[in-house]
Amino acid sequence: MSLMKFQKLPPKAVREAIPRTVWALGAVSLFMDISSEMIHAVLPLFMATTLEASALAIGLTEGAAEAAALVTKVFSGMISDRFGHTKLLVFAGYALAVFTKPFFALATTVEQVFLCRFTDRVGKGLRGAPRDALIASVTPKPILGAAFGLRQSLDSAGAFIGPALASLLLAAFSESYRFIFWCALIPGIICLALIVFEVKAPEPKAGRKVNPLSREAARMLPISLWLLLALAAVFSLARFSNAFIVLRAASCGIRPMYVPLVMVAMNAVFAFSSYPFGRLADRVRPTLLLSFGVALLAASEAVFAAASGPVWILAGVALWGLHLGTTQGVFSMLVASLAPEALRGTAFGLYNLASGGAALAAGLLAGLLWDRFGSSASFAAGAAFALFTLALLAVMRRRSLRAL
C-alpha cells in the first residue's frame, strides 16, 4: 500500500494494519514495565531510607545502570544484524531482567542494589536493539511512526500501572519495600510466556550479510544518522534519571506511600500521548515534533527547579510525560528510517550507545549538583541542556536534516 493510501486510512484501519508481532512486543513491554516499575518507583526511597544511600550514590547507581543497558544494545544490535537471531536475543534479555527481581528483595547493601540494577539493565540492553529492529522489519514504512508509538504507549502503560500497584502495596503492607520486590516477579514471568508463544520473527533474508564492525558498514551508515546520534547524546544530557523526580517529589512534602503516584501520573501522560504523536510523525516532519518535545522538557525542568509543593510537582510531571510521548517514538522512527535495512540493529545500538554515555554523565552531574547545591540546581542544569539541544536541533534542521 502506498504512503498516501496509508495516510488516508482512518485510525482503526491504521491500528489493524500494524502487524501482530508489534502488538505482541507491545504486550511484552507492558508486562515487563509493570514488573520493573514496581521496583523502580520505590527503589530510590528504599536506598535513601532503608540503606541510607546518598543522592550521589543513587545517581551513580541509576546512571551506571542505564548506561550499561544502552551500551549493551550496541553489541546485541550487531549480533542481530550479523546472525539474525532477533527473537532469541529478545528472550534472553527479558529473561535476565526477570532473573534479577528476587535479588532486589534480598539486598542489604547499596553495592548489592547496584549489582542488581546493573544486571537488570544489561538484560534491557540485550533486548532493546533487536526488538526495535524486529519491529522495523515487520512493519510497512508508511506506518513506522504508528508502530513505534504503539509499542511505546503499551510500554508506558506498564510504567504507570507498576507504580500504581507499588503505591497500593505500600499502603496495604505498611511500606514494605521488599514485599513489592517479590510481587514484581509475577508480571515478569507473564512477559516471558508472551515472547515464546506470540512473537514471530521473520526468516533471515538470503544473501551476504554485512559485518557491522567493517569499514563497509561504516560507509553504509549515512551522515544524517550520525548527526541524529549526536543530537540524541546532547538531548540525553538534559534527561537524567527519574529517580531524581521521585526524590524531588518527596522533598516537596509528598508522603512516601504517595510518591509512586508521581510516576503513575508521568507515565499515564507518556502512554496516552505516544501513539497519537507517533501517528502524527507519519504525517508531518518528525524534527518539528522533536523541537516541540525538547521545549516541553525545558519547561518541565524549570518547573521542577522552582517547585515548592505537590501542585508544582504534578505540573512538572505532566510536562515531562508529554515530552517523552513526543520524542521517544519519533527518535526510534528516525533511526529505522535513516539506517540501511541490513544494519538496523547496529543503528539502534549506536543510537542507544550515544544516549547511554550521556545518561551516565547526566546522572553523575545531577547527583553532584544535588548534594552540593540542592535539588533546584540539578533541574536548572537540565533545563539549560534542553535549551542548548533545542538550538542545536534548529541549526541541524536548516543545514543537515532538512528532509526530516
Side-chain angles (χ1 to χ4, degrees):
M1 188 178 291
S2 68
L3 172 61
M4 186 172 294
K5 289 182 178 180
F6 267 111
Q7 290 180 338
K8 291 181 178 180
L9 287 176
K12 182 178 179 181
V14 172
R15 291 195 297 271
E16 291 175 349
I18 294 174
R20 181 182 179 89
T21 287
V22 176
W23 285 96
L25 288 170
V28 167
S29 293
L30 169 70
F31 282 101
M32 178 49 70
D33 255 47
I34 291 174
S35 176
S36 294
E37 293 302 328
M38 285 176 68
I39 294 176
H40 300 165
V42 298
L43 190 60
L45 297 177
F46 173 71
M47 294 179 69
T49 57
T50 304
L51 303 182
E52 299 181 348
S54 66
L56 179 57
I58 294 172
L60 178 61
T61 298
E62 293 296 317
E66 292 304 325
L70 299 171
V71 170
T72 307
K73 286 182 181 181
V74 176
F75 301 102
S76 63
M78 289 179 176
I79 292 170
S80 67
D81 284 338
R82 189 71 171 131
F83 302 105
H85 301 304
T86 51
K87 180 174 177 177
L88 180 60
L89 285 169
V90 169
F91 180 83
Y94 280 105
L96 184 59
V98 172
F99 172 77
T100 65
K101 304 307 180 191
F103 293 97
F104 282 102
L106 300 172
T108 57
T109 67
V110 173
E111 292 78 11
Q112 289 172 348
V113 171
F114 181 95
L115 182 60
C116 291
R117 189 82 168 92
F118 190 90
T119 305
D120 172 68
R121 296 295 88 178
V122 168
K124 180 178 181 180
L126 283 175
R127 67 187 184 250
R131 181 201 61 214
D132 291 342
L134 178 55
I135 290 174
S137 69
V138 300
T139 304
K141 189 172 183 178
I143 56 170
L144 271 176
F148 280 110
L150 173 68
R151 193 212 66 82
Q152 191 66 71
S153 283
L154 291 171
D155 181 274
S156 305
F160 76 76
I161 294 172
L165 289 174
S167 187
L168 290 173
L169 291 171
L170 279 178
F173 294 94
S174 302
E175 301 184 10
S176 175
Y177 299 119
R178 297 184 190 278
F179 180 71
I180 294 173
F181 298 161
W182 282 113
C183 290
L185 185 61
I186 298 172
I189 293 173
I190 295 173
C191 114
L192 295 182
L194 283 170
I195 296 171
V196 172
F197 296 109
E198 294 296 330
V199 173
K200 308 297 181 185
E203 291 294 326
K205 292 185 178 180
R208 187 178 68 87
K209 293 186 177 296
V210 179
N211 181 356
L213 296 176
S214 67
R215 292 182 179 180
E216 178 187 4
R219 288 194 298 267
M220 289 176 63
L221 297 175
I223 186 63
S224 55
L225 177 63
W226 293 107
L227 290 171
L228 182 68
L229 300 183
L231 180 70
V234 176
F235 181 57
S236 293
L237 290 173
R239 294 178 53 241
F240 38 76
S241 169
N242 291 343
F244 291 98
I245 297 176
V246 170
L247 294 175
R248 187 72 173 115
S251 72
C252 285
I254 298 179
R255 295 176 59 188
M257 72 172 62
Y258 299 123
V259 166
L261 296 179
V262 171
M263 301 308 298
V264 171
M266 176 195 300
N267 287 302
V269 176
F270 188 8
F272 287 110
S273 62
S274 290
Y275 180 68
F277 279 118
R279 283 205 65 211
L280 186 60
D282 290 325
R283 297 166 178 248
V284 303
R285 286 190 175 184
T287 49
L288 292 176
L289 291 181
L290 286 183
S291 297
F292 179 58
V294 175
L296 288 171
L297 175 60
S300 174
E301 297 197 275
V303 170
F304 280 127
S308 58
V311 174
W312 286 90
I313 294 296
L314 291 177
V317 158
L319 289 168
W320 191 285
L322 193 58
H323 112 264
L324 290 172
T326 309
T327 60
Q328 297 309 286
V330 174
F331 264 118
S332 296
M333 171 197 176
L334 287 174
V335 173
S337 299
L338 293 174
E341 183 177 356
L343 292 171
R344 275 182 178 154
T346 301
F348 276 110
L350 290 173
Y351 161 66
N352 288 290
L353 174 62
S355 302
L360 175 56
L364 291 174
L365 178 60
L368 285 170
L369 290 173
W370 189 298
D371 283 341
R372 293 191 178 186
F373 304 107
S375 56
S376 294
S378 298
F379 288 101
F385 277 116
L387 291 175
F388 178 72
T389 304
L390 191 60
L392 183 61
L393 181 55
V395 172
M396 286 186 173
R397 280 181 54 205
R398 287 197 299 269
R399 297 187 178 182
S400 306
L401 298 175
R402 293 173 185 168
L404 299 179

